[in-house]
Amino acid sequence: MRVGVVYFPGSNCEQDAVYACRQVGLEAEYVWHKQSLIEGFGALILAGGFSYGDHLRCGAIACSSPIMPAVERFAADGGLVLGICNGFQILAEMDMIPGTLLANNGLKFRCQDTLMRVERNDSPFTNACEVGQVLRINMAHYEGNYFAEPETLQRLEANGQVVMRFGPAADESGGEFNPNGSIADIAAISNEAGNVMGLMPHPERAMQSALGSTDGRLVFESLRRAIDARDGDSQAFVALEGKPAGV
Amino acid sequence: MKGQVVVRLREEVLDPQGVTIGKALANLGYDNVASLRQGKIFDVELATDDPQEAERQLTAMAKQLLANPVIETFEVHVGSKV
Amino acid sequence: MKGQVVVRLREEVLDPQGVTIGKALANLGYDNVASLRQGKIFDVELATDDPQEAERQLTAMAKQLLANPVIETFEVHVGSKV
Amino acid sequence: MVIARLSLLSRGNRPVSEALERTLPLGAATDQKTAVEHGMTADEYARVVEILGRAPTLTELGMYSVMWSEHCSYKSSRVYLRELPSSGPAVLQGPGENAGAVDLGDGLAGVFKVESHNHPSYIEPYQGAATGVGGILRDIFTMGARPLALLDSLRFGKPQVGKNRHLLDGVVGGIAGYGNCMGVPTVGGEIYFDDSYDHNPLVNVMCFGVAAADRLIRARADGPGNLVIYVGARTGRDGIYGVSLLASATFDAEAEEKRPAVQVGDPFTEKLLMEACLELVDKDLLVGMQDLGGAGLTCSTAELSSNSRTGMRIDIAKVPRRESGLTPYEIMLSESQERMMLVVTSAQLEEVMAIFDKWDLEAVVIGQVTDDGFVQVFDDGELVADVPARSLAEEGPRYERPFVLPVPPPSIGAGELKCDLHTHDVLFRLLRDPTVASKRWVFQQYDQTVRFNTVQRPGGEAAVIWLKEYGSDAAVALAIDGNPWFSALDAKQGAKLAVAEACRNVACTGAKPLGITNCLNFGSPEVDVRMGEFVAAVEGIAEACLALEVPVTGGNVSFYNETAGQPILPTSVVGAVGRHDHYDRTVGAGFLSSGDKVVLIGGADTDDPGLGGSAYVRLVHAARPGAPPSLDLGLEARLHRLLVEAASAELLRSAKDCSDGGLAVALAETCFAVADGARADRSLASVGEGSVKGLLGAYIELDASPGDDHHAALFGEAPSRVVVTTRPDDAERLVDLGAAYGVPARVVGEVTEEPRLRVMVQDRPAIELGVDLLYTAWAGALAAVMERA
Ligand SMILES: Nc1ncnc2c1ncn2[C@@H]1O[C@H](COP(=O)(O)OP(=O)(O)O)[C@@H](O)[C@H]1O
Ligand SMILES: [Mg+2]
């Protein structure tokens, strides 16, 4: 089953997401935002970057792209959707994930490796990890400071929607290892059903030891397993009308 | 005709930018800034002469795109500049 | 007391954000947006009750920090919200 | 002074052009006075009249004035730049196009260049730097190459001064804002702080990209009848007079008056433009391409047709505009960003337009290629300019300005300087100096890893990019260097040292240097001493390049970097590109494992300890003048070959050259280079703000120092020295290899698990400090200054 990597004008991580999928044996295909049809995909990745230049609010304008109603339906039907960085911001703007991403606490763009602790491994995006496992993954963003109001946050914690937190060890999070001020050190969060996840750091940039880390493989490996597990149970459907998939 | 949409962060939402600017002002000696919050203003020129129509359109735009109701509120003004 | 500083790009300066947002609105069917420009609005709470003093301070802040005179202009309002 | 006159005319916010055009109707002839107001000399004007056989119209005069300005015509520098060696087996494109290119093997071309955006960055630091990045990126993708990496070379006044912090903060923000949005990682750079840059910071940005060697695009308008397309942002009044005046006229108190020139960068549009253009290249749909940078439409029409010995006819009524009321003069001179001009065949027009449509870009056919050698500009049927293309692009004035060569001071010998400071105090002072301290505060704001090719991130010797997306195992090393204090003392020697250092940094990663680009930032060429510095620098670069066998494939000259007669330090910035056979065998700067042997390789047989212009003399001896370090270019060349050989034989675990702060600072930085990101596997310091976990130490023994001057031995900046580590078993092989290459190499110590740096000189402890203390001093210094409000 293929993974569709959705990209918008201004996205700039789509090639990295495709590379990462192929590294773990997943077929991947670019999906341009002007398509309004999503067909035959086992999962979708909303790629990182600066869709529409990050103008207005990060991710805001992408929400009105032709592809988005189809993405929404794909998710509503249980399809796996991973939003990385700007993809996360788009999911938050779409309200497919609760909360929002504010400017980093240092009010600067920040690019560095981060350490993230896996909070649960029953998610389709972390099933290859151990709970408490620490992943070393690069981040690069200006608006990654996750924020949700107290009641929302409480609900997220109660539902176990926090999938990863910044922290250096299984039993230690936050402090100097929270690079952007995210509330409760949140680095990755899912929707209530768990099939949609937003993640600020870039697992697709942690796929080669020569390039710093291979921990991102665990995320893509998880995705592959999740897709395999759903084998045959095609998520394919036709939403609206439009051009066939492909760039 | 002209109009504006003013978009502000909801009061309960943290405004890191506003906080930082407030601090910078304090450092510059403006010590009676009790609070500062940063919002956006959109100056829009509409191809209509009907103020009610303009207001209706600006409101629709604000709802649909210019403001994010999860974290923001908005106001619409029709007519000359704020 | 409350006041606002509204900061806008000078007219001759390109506003890439405004252009993108204007196009997005057009794509959403708002086809009579002739132009859209984005500015900033700072809502400031000052520890003074003197409107003139408030205006003086807001103007000074705008000049010194809030607006970049090379590409921006500003307006100051004292009193309740715009 | 030119600017003063123009600003008088442009008072009241009315662009000078409008004021002039109202009194001078289109088509009317201009006179010498108007030419002088445009910054031309009487002689230059007379030449225009001679070329045209009549007086030019205002539009034509504007076109000549920008094309013949220093920035576009290189009228003061061209004669000297010709002396630079620019050929060699690896060169695919030398100077003359938008960027140079070298052969990377596997059918790939490495395309690179450095550009300055100094004056605009002083007026508006964020936008000035941002549009500078936009400009150099366009130069690279105009060649048909995908930009893969950016590097920035910055010079500011000391950051303790508020205004300088404001400038640095804005410039770094602008580079980040533009480069990050473009999805091009910024992987390296350098910063020096000196008072001479207070009113004239330098912002030089280098870009490296890759193209298929047989698909390099040139600025050509072949084939009369072919169509000319304008694509990208709309045209506004941006930067009219920008390039020609901002880059060519000295700064003064009237900078305020230059406001109409300020441009705002739009990286979003540029990203679409880049993707669309690269798609056209990929599908082989282009005859030629030229970006609209300095001198806008004038430059692109003139250069495209001049290069092909054709002509071009355009109708500016078709040019998309951002504001109404633009005159032909303004349209031809506008420097609005994010615009390109393409030449395509009419058969392929439809396919080309479909690609622009996909990327939501506005594209219009504005004219066609002709065969008469003239650029003809029509405004809706009316001819407003009619000039020979070659006269604009190639037949501009050339000056051999009078110059005085600098006389360098004598060098400072070992033992000549007396100093009571403890070595530790000196070391801390150096590590905390913003020029020496970690630049993480800066590069943390840059996306360093997008496209997932970055093997070595900022913080090491050179950045390394794996050509992974081309299915190749090869990697490219990139470095940019230029110590201005060396140049200030001796412009020629400083330039040589800059070439040597940039190539050495590339070689430290194990890559073979293939070519360099350079950015020469100087004061006014009309002052003989400044001109002399420039001439000397070009000589120095030429000499070093010949000896090191690296060609110059392009570059940039920025004159008039002075304010109220106060020039900047002469600053020669050199960007080097090297190639590595295998990405996984590149060498990082930091210690990797305890027990590894530390080997010092290189070091010329001279009694010059390299004190002149050193950070030590600057910080401890009140910058006492002395000749910059002597350089043995033969040894330097052998050293580079040795490093490449040793890396490919997998003998090197790390390599770091001795530069700012000398051997002692190099040793300290080698202890914590891992913390800055490159190969950060074991260090927590790169992920946590204050963490020092995972850092290693070293125990070093040095021989007696000449003149018993420990400071000279530890802090002197003699070049051609590299601190490397090797597995214990490989040390002997490495030393032997050094001997075979005629390069001194000796084991001086080993890497220790205990994070302490201990350096013995002649059996006496000279340094004995915890690496955590050294690291904290070095890592936090710049951030502490910058975060001071
Ligand atoms: N210092 C230099 N060394 C070598 N070549 C140079 C130097 N300065 C400029 N050049 C070359 O002169 C040509 C014109 O440069 P420039 O006008 O900056 O190009 P562009 O207009 O594309 O930015 C380029 O090919 C450039 O590489
Ligand atoms: Mg160019």
Side-chain angles (χ1 to χ4, degrees):
Chain A
M1 192 61 75
R2 294 170 306 152
V3 175
V5 174
V6 180
Y7 71 116
F8 302 85
S11 296
N12 61 33
C13 303
E14 64 274 17
Q15 69 288 331
D16 304 343
V18 166
Y19 172 82
C21 288
R22 291 177 182 163
Q23 284 287 302
V24 299
L26 278 167
E27 268 181 65
E29 196 175 292
Y30 293 100
V31 179
W32 182 230
H33 78 118
K34 285 185 185 172
Q35 288 174 222
S36 49
L37 172 88
I38 292 177
E39 207 170 28
F41 291 112
L44 296 178
I45 294 176
L46 302 192
F50 290 69
S51 60
Y52 295 92
D54 269 0
H55 295 155
L56 189 59
R57 296 179 306 277
C58 302
I61 299 179
C63 293
S64 46
S65 273
I67 192 82
M68 287 316 289
V71 172
E72 221 170 0
R73 273 203 52 195
F74 181 84
D77 291 352
L80 302 178
V81 180
L82 173 62
I84 302 171
C85 198
N86 187 232
F88 185 177
Q89 293 162 341
I90 295 170
L91 291 174
E93 275 284 336
M94 287 293 290
D95 246 341
M96 291 171 66
I97 290 216
T100 191
L101 295 145
L102 302 175
N104 297 343
N105 55 357
L107 281 191
K108 296 251 183 278
F109 189 98
R110 196 153 172 173
C111 175
Q112 63 167 77
D113 280 0
T114 65
L115 298 180
M116 293 188 300
R117 193 180 77 191
V118 175
E119 293 288 288
R120 50 188 306 154
N121 64 357
D122 54 355
S123 149
F125 309 100
T126 54
N127 60 51
C129 309
E130 304 290 325
V131 170
Q133 187 171 357
V134 174
L135 310 184
R136 182 182 189 112
I137 295 186
N138 197 253
M139 76 167 205
H141 58 247
Y142 199 125
E143 278 101 352
N145 177 357
Y146 183 79
F147 176 84
E149 283 163 45
E151 317 82 72
T152 313
L153 190 62
Q154 228 167 16
R155 198 182 71 231
L156 295 176
E157 297 279 12
N159 291 344
Q161 285 171 247
V162 179
V163 184
M164 298 186 211
R165 281 184 226 270
F166 294 114
D171 54 357
E172 192 189 338
S173 64
E176 58 171 318
F177 296 96
N178 177 338
N180 57 19
S182 280
I183 198 160
D185 305 312
I186 290 171
I189 199 137
S190 74
N191 64 349
E192 201 168 334
N195 63 317
V196 179
M197 183 175 91
L199 167 65
M200 268 334 280
H202 290 277
E204 78 278 24
R205 300 187 197 177
M207 304 294 295
Q208 287 284 350
S209 59
L211 299 176
S213 170
T214 54
D215 292 351
R217 284 177 180 266
L218 291 167
V219 173
F220 288 91
E221 180 60 32
S222 299
L223 190 60
R224 192 177 62 75
R225 288 191 200 172
I227 292 173
D228 287 351
R230 295 173 166 209
D231 195 43
D233 168 24
S234 170
Q235 296 301 314
F237 71 99
V238 176
L240 312 175
E241 51 188 31
K243 296 179 253 167
V247 193
Chain B
M1 71 185 304
K2 293 182 186 213
Q4 280 101 41
V5 179
V6 177
V7 175
R8 294 184 167 92
L9 277 177
R10 285 178 181 281
E11 273 174 30
E12 61 276 19
V13 176
L14 184 79
D15 176 16
Q17 203 148 331
V19 171
T20 309
I21 297 170
K23 276 191 205 151
L25 285 171
N27 284 333
L28 289 172
Y30 297 94
D31 40 18
N32 60 0
V33 176
S35 92
L36 182 147
R37 293 179 66 86
Q38 179 172 344
K40 298 173 197 167
I41 179 162
F42 300 94
D43 290 303
V44 189
E45 197 149 341
L46 289 170
T48 174
D49 285 330
D50 175 355
Q52 276 176 326
E53 173 60 15
E55 177 157 354
R56 208 189 50 71
Q57 288 191 12
L58 290 173
T59 308
M61 289 174 200
K63 279 198 183 145
Q64 203 178 345
L65 185 72
L66 300 180
N68 175 357
V70 178
I71 48 168
E72 292 169 331
T73 60
F74 70 88
E75 278 169 30
V76 165
H77 304 270
V78 173
S80 63
K81 284 195 175 177
V82 169
Chain C
M1 74 184 302
K2 294 183 186 212
Q4 281 101 43
V5 179
V6 177
V7 176
R8 292 185 168 93
L9 279 174
R10 286 175 180 276
E11 263 171 46
E12 66 276 14
V13 171
L14 174 72
D15 175 16
Q17 296 226 69
V19 172
T20 312
I21 298 167
K23 278 191 200 156
L25 286 170
N27 284 336
L28 289 170
Y30 297 94
D31 40 19
N32 61 359
V33 176
S35 94
L36 182 147
R37 295 182 61 91
Q38 179 171 342
K40 298 176 198 164
I41 180 162
F42 299 93
D43 290 302
V44 189
E45 197 148 344
L46 289 170
T48 173
D49 284 333
D50 174 356
Q52 273 175 327
E53 174 59 16
E55 177 157 354
R56 208 190 48 74
Q57 288 191 13
L58 290 173
T59 307
M61 290 173 200
K63 279 197 183 149
Q64 206 179 342
L65 187 74
L66 303 179
N68 173 359
V70 178
I71 49 172
E72 292 169 332
T73 59
F74 69 88
E75 277 170 31
V76 164
H77 304 270
V78 174
S80 63
K81 284 197 175 176
V82 170
Chain D
M1 213 162 3
V2 179
I3 277 293
R5 277 190 214 108
L6 278 173
S7 10
L8 280 177
L9 281 167
S10 62
R11 278 239 163 82
N13 251 347
R14 187 155 215 101
V16 58
S17 54
E18 233 178 79
L20 287 173
E21 285 200 34
R22 271 180 300 119
T23 56
L24 200 73
L26 272 185
T30 53
D31 55 17
Q32 187 182 308
K33 181 168 159 282
T34 319
V36 171
E37 282 161 0
H38 277 73
M40 294 177 92
T41 65
D43 285 349
E44 288 170 353
Y45 179 74
R47 282 217 28 217
V48 173
V49 174
E50 188 189 321
I51 288 166
L52 296 178
R54 59 178 166 83
T57 65
L58 183 62
T59 303
E60 290 168 339
L61 182 67
M63 292 165 73
Y64 278 102
S65 75
V66 284
M67 289 303 290
W68 288 10
S69 69
E70 187 64 59
H71 179 90
C72 294
S73 72
Y74 288 80
K75 56 189 169 193
S76 305
S77 57
R78 184 130 292 172
V79 227
Y80 305 97
L81 295 178
R82 271 202 296 261
E83 305 304 314
L84 295 173
S86 60
S87 58
V91 178
L92 297 176
Q93 177 64 58
E97 281 286 335
N98 284 299
V102 291
D103 189 352
L104 298 175
D106 303 322
L108 300 175
V111 179
F112 61 102
K113 189 172 165 202
V114 58
E115 274 264 4
S116 65
H117 226 214
N118 304 337
H119 288 178
S121 300
Y122 181 63
I123 295 181
E124 212 309 291
Y126 185 98
Q127 299 298 346
T131 49
V133 173
I136 188 66
L137 283 165
R138 274 195 303 285
D139 274 341
I140 300 306
F141 70 78
T142 302
M143 296 289 295
R146 175 173 285 284
L148 292 184
L150 291 163
L151 294 92
D152 58 339
S153 172
L154 310 177
R155 304 288 182 276
F156 290 92
K158 295 199 181 106
Q160 287 80 1
V161 177
K163 169 80 175 173
N164 294 331
R165 282 201 297 281
H166 165 77
L167 291 170
L168 175 59
D169 193 53
V171 163
V172 171
I175 294 171
Y178 209 103
N180 297 353
C181 184
M182 288 293 290
V184 180
T186 301
V187 295
E190 51 152 18
I191 310 186
Y192 284 85
F193 297 97
D194 183 90
D195 296 337
S196 76
Y197 303 110
D198 270 351
H199 301 286
N200 197 125
L202 301 184
V203 177
N204 292 182
V205 181
M206 170 173 166
C207 183
F208 169 84
V210 169
D214 58 358
R215 281 277 172 89
L216 280 174
I217 304 295
R218 264 70 179 210
R220 296 190 69 84
D222 294 334
N226 281 336
L227 302 175
V228 177
I229 296 178
Y230 168 112
V231 59
R234 295 176 165 222
T235 296
R237 288 198 171 87
D238 312 274
I240 294 183
Y241 289 111
V243 151
S244 53
L245 293 195
L246 284 183
S248 307
T250 309
F251 257 18
D252 53 39
E254 301 204 29
E256 294 266 300
E257 290 290 333
K258 290 184 207 160
R259 277 177 194 174
V262 173
Q263 301 154 11
V264 168
D266 180 1
F268 175 53
T269 297
E270 177 123 321
K271 166 79 170 155
L272 303 181
L273 201 53
M274 175 175 80
E275 295 302 337
C277 289
L278 292 176
E279 199 170 324
L280 294 174
V281 173
D282 208 42
K283 298 193 167 139
D284 210 359
L285 294 172
L286 291 175
V287 174
M289 173 155 64
Q290 171 71 310
D291 62 311
L292 273 64
L297 276 168
T298 300
C299 181
S300 54
T301 51
E303 288 191 354
L304 283 166
S305 44
S306 174
N307 289 348
S308 296
R309 304 285 183 267
T310 52
M312 194 176 278
R313 179 178 303 163
I314 62 166
D315 182 0
I316 51 173
K318 301 214 166 76
V319 170
R321 298 138 201 243
R322 199 170 78 223
E323 43 196 321
S324 55
L326 289 179
T327 64
Y329 174 101
E330 289 174 318
I331 290 171
M332 288 308 290
L333 268 62
S334 163
E335 289 175 5
S336 291
Q337 304 283 303
E338 291 95 19
R339 303 180 300 163
M340 297 289 270
M341 182 173 279
L342 317 179
V343 179
V344 306
T345 64
S346 50
Q348 290 175 318
L349 180 63
E350 207 174 320
E351 217 179 322
V352 169
M353 289 305 197
I355 289 173
F356 289 131
D357 190 50
K358 169 186 169 188
W359 292 101
D360 300 328
L361 285 163
E362 198 169 1
V364 215
V365 175
I366 61 164
Q368 57 179 294
V369 179
T370 59
D371 61 4
D372 60 8
F374 277 73
V375 171
Q376 292 187 307
V377 181
F378 290 85
D379 184 12
D380 204 13
E382 188 185 343
L383 186 63
V384 296
D386 189 7
V387 298
R390 282 174 58 82
S391 71
L392 285 170
E394 283 166 56
E395 291 162 2
R398 298 274 181 280
Y399 294 131
E400 293 190 43
R401 298 196 186 272
F403 62 83
V404 177
L405 288 177
V407 183
S411 61
I412 306 171
E416 250 183 66
L417 298 175
K418 295 283 163 273
C419 175
D420 297 332
L421 279 182
H422 191 280
T423 308
H424 288 176
D425 295 331
V426 176
L427 183 55
F428 278 115
R429 203 180 280 194
L430 285 168
L431 291 173
R432 284 199 191 97
D433 179 55
T435 293
V436 177
S438 167
K439 306 301 182 305
R440 182 157 149 190
W441 181 88
V442 173
F443 59 69
Q444 195 165 257
Q445 298 182 50
Y446 302 147
D447 190 336
Q448 308 146 32
T449 51
V450 61
R451 297 195 84 80
F452 194 43
N453 297 317
T454 315
V455 181
Q456 307 266 355
R457 300 178 199 169
E461 290 298 90
V464 177
I465 296 287
W466 172 11
L467 301 177
K468 163 175 136 282
E469 48 193 283
Y470 301 91
S472 167
D473 284 338
V476 167
L478 305 164
I480 191 160
D481 289 289
N483 182 320
W485 294 300
F486 292 164
S487 289
L489 293 160
D490 179 348
K492 180 175 178 183
Q493 183 72 359
K496 282 204 292 198
L497 285 163
V499 175
E501 185 178 353
C503 293
R504 190 188 316 131
N505 281 337
V506 160
C508 278
T509 68
K512 177 183 182 329
L514 292 180
I516 66 154
T517 179
N518 66 94
C519 196
L520 303 173
N521 305 268
F522 289 82
S524 167
E526 295 161 42
V527 176
D528 55 9
V529 179
R530 304 283 91 77
M531 191 62 202
E533 291 168 345
F534 170 78
V535 172
V538 174
E539 276 177 17
I541 291 178
E543 202 177 296
C545 286
L546 282 174
L548 300 178
E549 293 174 36
V550 283
V552 181
T553 64
N556 181 244
V557 178
S558 170
F559 279 131
Y560 299 100
N561 289 288
E562 50 185 82
T563 306
Q566 283 295 104
I568 58 162
L569 301 184
T571 310
S572 303
V573 170
V574 173
V577 173
R579 181 184 182 278
H580 214 295
D581 284 334
H582 202 287
Y583 66 92
D584 212 14
R585 269 180 243 137
T586 66
V587 180
F591 292 142
L592 288 185
S593 356
S594 56
D596 282 354
K597 294 292 179 206
V598 180
V599 182
L600 181 60
I601 60 180
D605 187 14
T606 155
D607 46 17
D608 176 8
L611 290 172
S614 67
Y616 166 71
V617 167
R618 178 169 52 86
L619 293 171
V620 176
H621 293 285
R624 185 187 134 174
S630 52
L631 174 64
D632 176 345
L633 282 167
L635 171 70
E636 187 74 41
R638 295 194 300 279
L639 173 67
H640 299 179
R641 286 195 287 270
L642 168 64
L643 286 165
V644 173
E645 170 70 31
S648 81
E650 298 191 65
L651 294 177
L652 302 182
R653 303 275 284 157
S654 73
K656 177 149 188 57
D657 81 324
C658 299
S659 57
D660 308 88
L663 177 61
V665 167
L667 286 168
E669 288 182 353
T670 310
C671 294
F672 35 74
V674 287
D676 256 359
R679 297 283 182 122
D681 308 18
R682 54 171 290 149
S683 153
L684 282 191
S686 61
V687 286
E689 278 291 290
S691 188
V692 291
K693 264 185 233 162
L695 299 180
L696 296 168
Y699 178 76
I700 307 291
E701 286 180 344
L702 300 176
D703 302 336
S705 49
D708 206 27
D709 184 346
H710 290 189
H711 285 184
L714 290 169
F715 304 117
E717 296 179 14
S720 321
R721 293 180 300 158
V722 179
V723 175
V724 307
T725 55
T726 183
R727 286 187 186 81
D729 299 347
D730 290 335
E732 204 181 306
R733 258 182 83 198
L734 182 59
V735 171
D736 290 348
L737 196 62
Y741 275 83
V743 178
R746 57 189 197 281
V747 178
V748 292
E750 72 174 42
V751 181
T752 60
E753 194 63 31
E754 188 195 0
R756 282 186 87 66
L757 177 63
R758 280 180 296 163
V759 181
M760 312 288 285
V761 180
Q762 216 183 355
D763 301 328
R764 275 185 290 143
I767 299 174
E768 186 151 18
L769 287 165
V771 169
D772 54 342
L773 289 178
L774 294 167
Y775 175 69
T776 310
W778 174 84
L782 184 58
V785 181
M786 289 308 294
E787 267 139 39
R788 188 192 293 174

